[in-house]
Amino acid sequence: MGRQDKKVAGRRRARFSATVAALLAAGLAVGGCGAGGESASADRAKGENGRTAPAAPDGGAGTVNPEGAEGAGDDRRPPSAPAPDYLSTFALDVDTASYGYARRTLAEGRLPEPATVRPEEFVNSFRPDYPRPEDNGFSVTLDGARAGQDGWSLVRVGLATRAADRRGERPPAALTFVVDVSGSMAEPGRLDLVKESLGLLADQLRDDDSMGLVTFSSEAETRLPLTRVGEARGRIREVVDSLVTSSSTNVEAGVRTGYDVAVDGHREGATNRVVLLSDALANTGSTDAGSILERIEEERKEYGITLFGVGVGSDYGDAFMEQLADRGDGQTTYVSNSAQARKVFVEQLPAHVELRARDAKAQVSFDRRTVEKFRLIGYENREVADEDFRNDRVDGGEVGAGHTVTALYAVRTRAGATGPVATATVRWLDPATRAPHERSGSVGTAALAGDIWGGGHDSLQLTAITAYFADALRGGDLPGAPGLPALAERAESIAGRSGSAVVRELAEAVRQADGLRGPTDGAADEGELKSGDPYS
């Protein structure tokens, strides 16, 4: 059963719920709020076998537990430590398609549909410089700052994996590409961009990697079975160059055939992955993701084949692609031009073929003594029941080498309270042995003393800007939101100091959204910005 099927009954996405939106506008419901805006309480703090998650140690600045707890059900909470008061549990997510598609939509003079805006994908499109672990696990970093009045702060949970050595040893990759050649892909920036991307990737893969190619329109066709790249670079280029568009879009046939090819050429010890390149506008065969998801689920479990979705096109089936990748334990991204294609297929995909973690989940416990309310920004469709955090039969997310995952919380602390605020624990399975591991970090009230828009917070500010931007596009009202003009100005200031082109693109997207939305009542907080970090 996938993550979409394991949500607690009755939970609704916050962005679709007018009731929750009203509560948020009023300052959030009393008590903690986990993903999706649902209350979390001490009654739901019990983990598998009745154990409670580790409580936050007393402290100020964010800390990292370099060793962590390892082994199934390993609980290293001291017997005297208090039980956590509130819990928020979610599967890790490294998708970025929502942000890429929003930028494309805004550049064309349209506001994105609120349902396509997922704040976690905006936030995770930027990679803060978190400390990297020396081993194949995660680092856990927590920080935060005050945001607005009435005791509200932003608390950031940052997770990072060790980067791959581009020239060092790694497991071989077995990549089956499933390419949409339907009529809708004839639009400039679709099939032409896919062909360019595959040509770039063919030059980046190693001789011992394998590559297969399936195309689909009304039907699917295997153009190249999984073949060692060293034997077939010329043949791969010939097949890619010959791709032309025709007929309708049978995504179901393409995905099913792609998984058949991946299973037939499955390599033990390799990273086996299906890569779907499409505008995801299914109109033939099964146009409901459900039946396709069943097949992906079977192959994922038996063969460990993950799915990577690459979206293209001004009209794009965002929800459909996201559901496929979610059930396929993979990720999604979106490309609209050659520069983005080069970044994904030359810089990212070859470096990230090596998995660092399977079924990774995070659980954040907030301390009732210092925390009055909290809300996880985004991750609604990544929610995991708190009691399933240590249930390794419940799916999490797959995370590759060099990835970062960021979760941002709006937290209201109690007036005058000091001490621990939150502990974040990440749990994952080793990709090779499936042995469970855990690692934790914590943050206290001392770390939240500064103003987020004050000096020295560029990294945290960038995370806040992207989250506030996404929330504004969804029509939300997060505490401390300064308004789109101020967000654009702050992003531009960070871009100027860091020289980052991607942050400057963010500033432009915020300006475009502000122009399309028209005048608003959001007041800009012109807090001084100091020097910070570069981003890429």
Side-chain angles (χ1 to χ4, degrees), residues 104 185-192 313:
R104 167 75 179 258
M185 291 290 288
E187 175 192 295
R190 297 194 186 194
L191 185 59
D192 57 336

Side-chain angles (χ1 to χ4, degrees), residues 238-418:
E238 290 176 3
V239 173
V240 170
D241 290 343
S242 70
L243 299 181
V244 294
T245 59
S246 67
S247 192
S248 51
T249 310
N250 191 337
V251 177
E252 177 187 23
V255 171
R256 288 183 179 276
T257 303
Y259 270 82
D260 286 341
V261 170
V263 169
D264 290 343
H266 180 264
R267 295 176 60 180
E268 292 291 339
T271 299
N272 293 271
R273 182 170 297 168
V274 169
V275 183
L276 174 61
L277 301 102
S278 174
D279 58 17
L281 299 175
N283 57 24
T284 303
S286 175
T287 58
D288 178 5
S291 62
I292 305 174
L293 297 177
E294 292 178 5
R295 176 59 184 274
I296 293 176
E297 178 76 357
E298 294 170 2
E299 310 302 355
R300 180 196 65 80
K301 285 185 174 180
E302 185 171 354
Y303 296 98
I305 299 171
T306 58
L307 178 67
F308 180 36
V310 181
V312 296
S314 56
D315 292 320
Y316 167 55
D318 168 78
F320 190 80
M321 180 74 86
E322 199 254 350
Q323 289 171 21
L324 291 175
D326 183 34
R327 180 68 64 86
D329 279 345
Q331 65 184 95
T332 62
T333 191
Y334 179 87
V335 296
S336 62
N337 56 48
S338 295
Q340 292 170 6
R342 179 173 291 276
K343 183 174 183 178
V344 170
F345 287 92
V346 175
E347 300 175 20
Q348 296 179 349
L349 187 57
H352 296 161
V353 294
E354 185 176 358
L355 280 180
R356 291 283 189 248
R358 286 191 182 275
D359 289 328
K361 309 170 198 145
Q363 185 169 84
V364 183
S365 82
F366 292 89
D367 195 307
R368 183 185 297 274
R369 294 167 298 184
T370 56
V371 174
E372 181 181 331
K373 309 171 183 177
F374 68 89
R375 175 190 169 188
L376 174 59
I377 303 171
Y379 286 94
E380 289 91 354
N381 63 350
R382 296 292 191 267
E383 185 178 9
V384 173
D386 296 332
E387 60 270 20
D388 285 334
F389 177 59
R390 292 190 173 92
N391 182 353
D392 296 327
R393 296 184 299 275
V394 173
D395 291 344
E398 268 50 42
V399 181
H403 276 136
T404 62
V405 180
T406 298
L408 191 67
Y409 288 85
V411 178
R412 186 172 184 176
T413 53
R414 299 183 185 279
T418 60

Side-chain angles (χ1 to χ4, degrees), residues 61-69 90 92 130-135 137-143 156-161 361-364 389 405 422-428 437-443:
T63 60
V64 175
N65 175 358
E67 298 300 329
F90 57 94
L92 300 198
Y130 299 134
R132 302 282 178 170
E134 296 183 359
D135 59 14
F138 287 87
S139 66
V140 183
T141 305
L142 281 80
D143 60 3
R156 181 172 64 168
V157 177
L159 310 173
T161 59
K361 309 170 198 145
Q363 185 169 84
V364 183
F389 177 59
V405 180
T423 289
T425 301
V426 58
R427 182 179 178 87
W428 72 97
H437 302 275
E438 292 185 13
R439 196 158 291 171
S440 298
S442 63
V443 67

Side-chain angles (χ1 to χ4, degrees), residues 39-106:
S39 294
S41 70
D43 293 335
R44 300 174 64 225
K46 296 294 182 181
E48 189 178 19
N49 298 325
R51 286 184 291 269
T52 53
D58 193 9
T63 60
V64 175
N65 175 358
E67 298 300 329
E70 301 187 357
D74 188 6
D75 184 351
R76 300 188 180 183
R77 179 173 60 86
S80 60
D85 296 306
Y86 305 125
L87 290 175
S88 171
T89 309
F90 57 94
L92 300 198
D93 180 25
V94 293
D95 292 354
T96 61
S98 178
Y99 174 68
Y101 186 49
R103 281 186 52 222
R104 167 75 179 258
T105 303
L106 290 166

